[in-house]
Amino acid sequence: MGAQSHVHVSFDSPEYTADVNGLGTLRILEAIRNLDLTHKTRFYQASTSELYGKIQSPQQSESTPFYPRSPYAVAKLFAYWTVINYREAYGLYGCNGILFNHESAMRGTSFVTRKITYTLSRIAYGLIDKLYLGNMNALRDWGHARDYVEMQWLMLQQEQPEDYVIASGERRSVREFVEVAAREIGFSIEWRGQGVDEVGLVSEVDPEKIGATFGKGRFKLKPGDEIVNIDPYYFRPTEVDVLWGDASKAREKLNWSPKTSFLELVSEMVAEDLEQARKQVVVNQYE
Ligand SMILES: C[C@H]1O[C@H](OP(=O)(O)OP(=O)(O)OC[C@H]2O[C@@H](n3cnc4c(=O)[nH]c(N)nc43)[C@H](O)[C@@H]2O)[C@@H](O)[C@@H](O)C1=O
């Protein structure tokens, strides 16, 4: 499952991304074949909802046509078809798990969900001033990585290898993710302006929640503080505006459904990042 997994980075390093994500998959499959391990191996390919890119159907399932929109997605398309080819040509047990965005507190901070929970937590403790984002209108189908790993394991336990979509079936905007994360910390956000001039301001603070989470004087925000700005640096040359998965096949064939709700996911990520920010404040006192 090793890859160059950042879509934006793939525009800056397309050749590296194609080498690792596309040819990397082929190299592993060739190693399996050359070592005569084809019939002893079960191979999982970390495929992706990015294959749907410029979506050809409002909700995407295993039968939705692909339209990749980044070097990352094009490389992943090569890997997807290579697995199918090895399955058909050599009888390899290989599966493509077409995973929609899956997140957790372990997500890198350059991906939007963790960037939001990490940065807002630090803003609340006064460690950082602002959260800079790109396209806040993008819609994603976000689930918890823990649930998706269970499904990866499940698809490798079946008699026949098949490809599966893994998704929550819910779609939310980046803007909504910011709002929910802020509420989890204890304040609400009001949006003003449009396009690159849009800003997010603290509108209300929930004293009960703040009191329970932060020590006296440690919560640094007040209504009117401007904490979210747009930075066009984060726009992509070609954006995937919306992804929304249909995991009916996984539900029907493997009896799988996600256990963690969107709110639980955000809440878990915020709790982890608030704790990290709190520790950072303590460390800073002794520096
Ligand atoms: C399934 C798929 O999931 C992931 O790919 P991704 O969807 O590109 O994930 P992301 O968190 O980088 O962006 C999500 C959306 O959020 C928008 N967005 C706005 N502002 C910022 C921003 O400031 N940073 C980032 N990173 N994105 C931003 C951005 O433009 C995009 O529309 C990878 O795991 C990938 O490996 C994979 O396979």
Side-chain angles (χ1 to χ4, degrees):
M1 292 204 293
Q4 191 300 92
S5 68
H6 205 287
V7 174
H8 198 177
V9 168
S10 79
F11 287 98
D12 297 329
S13 303
E15 193 180 338
Y16 172 75
T17 303
D19 190 24
V20 174
N21 296 6
L23 288 178
T25 307
L26 176 66
R27 289 186 190 109
I28 297 172
L29 291 170
E30 269 299 86
I32 293 170
R33 190 167 77 93
N34 290 334
L35 293 169
D36 249 344
L37 293 171
T38 304
H39 297 289
K40 292 185 197 157
T41 305
R42 293 197 168 200
F43 185 79
Y44 174 82
Q45 210 278 119
S47 192
T48 167
S49 51
E50 283 293 305
L51 296 184
Y52 300 116
K54 192 169 178 182
I55 54 166
Q56 303 295 296
S57 156
Q59 198 167 6
Q60 301 88 48
S61 70
E62 294 80 1
S63 57
T64 306
F66 300 132
Y67 192 141
R69 290 267 281 175
S70 63
Y72 169 82
V74 173
K76 284 287 189 179
L77 189 68
F78 176 90
Y80 172 91
W81 281 113
T82 303
V83 168
I84 294 178
N85 183 243
Y86 273 62
R87 198 156 75 198
E88 294 175 355
Y90 309 117
L92 172 82
Y93 190 111
C95 301
N96 288 296
I98 308 173
L99 269 63
F100 282 63
N101 298 52
H102 42 292
E103 315 295 317
S104 79
M106 290 167 78
R107 186 62 133 155
T109 52
S110 66
F111 295 89
V112 79
T113 56
R114 180 82 201 291
K115 180 174 172 179
I116 293 167
T117 59
Y118 177 90
T119 311
L120 287 185
S121 299
R122 279 169 187 249
I123 291 174
Y125 271 103
L127 293 164
I128 306 181
D129 291 336
K130 274 195 187 156
L131 168 63
Y132 293 94
L133 290 172
N135 175 17
M136 288 201 295
N137 297 322
L139 294 165
R140 286 292 182 276
D141 178 327
W142 281 298
H144 198 300
R146 187 172 49 219
D147 292 338
Y148 290 34
V149 168
E150 185 203 1
M151 177 58 201
Q152 292 171 334
W153 176 83
L154 262 176
M155 76 176 81
L156 289 177
Q157 310 312 309
Q158 306 311 304
E159 216 159 283
Q160 293 304 322
E162 288 185 42
D163 308 318
Y164 291 90
V165 160
I166 315 179
S168 77
E170 285 180 34
R171 142 219 46 159
R172 321 249 177 187
S173 67
V174 171
R175 187 180 286 95
E176 193 178 347
F177 196 103
V178 176
E179 291 166 1
V180 173
R183 268 204 303 278
E184 276 303 299
I185 296 174
F187 62 95
S188 43
I189 294 217
E190 182 193 333
W191 304 103
R192 285 205 198 143
Q194 282 192 345
V196 290
D197 297 322
E198 185 171 3
V199 296
L201 309 167
V202 175
S203 62
E204 270 175 62
V205 171
D206 176 347
E208 234 170 76
K209 202 154 197 172
I210 295 302
T213 311
F214 295 80
K216 203 168 182 308
R218 288 215 163 140
F219 181 72
K220 301 293 186 193
L221 293 173
K222 55 181 187 326
D225 287 349
E226 185 182 308
I227 57 165
V228 186
N229 280 182
I230 302 298
D231 184 343
Y233 170 79
Y234 296 108
F235 293 156
R236 296 170 182 187
T238 39
E239 173 65 295
V240 172
D241 295 319
V242 45
L243 289 172
W244 181 29
D246 172 3
S248 305
K249 179 178 173 186
R251 203 167 42 244
E252 281 152 27
K253 279 198 132 172
L254 305 183
N255 199 23
W256 176 85
S257 58
K259 297 185 180 78
T260 318
S261 71
F262 176 73
L263 193 58
E264 286 165 343
L265 167 67
V266 180
S267 177
E268 193 180 305
M269 291 177 73
V270 163
E272 180 68 31
D273 279 323
L274 280 174
E275 179 57 10
Q276 280 193 22
R278 188 191 65 77
K279 286 181 181 155
Q280 190 62 54
V281 170
V282 174
V283 168
N284 288 356
Q285 282 170 355
Y286 295 95
E287 275 185 345

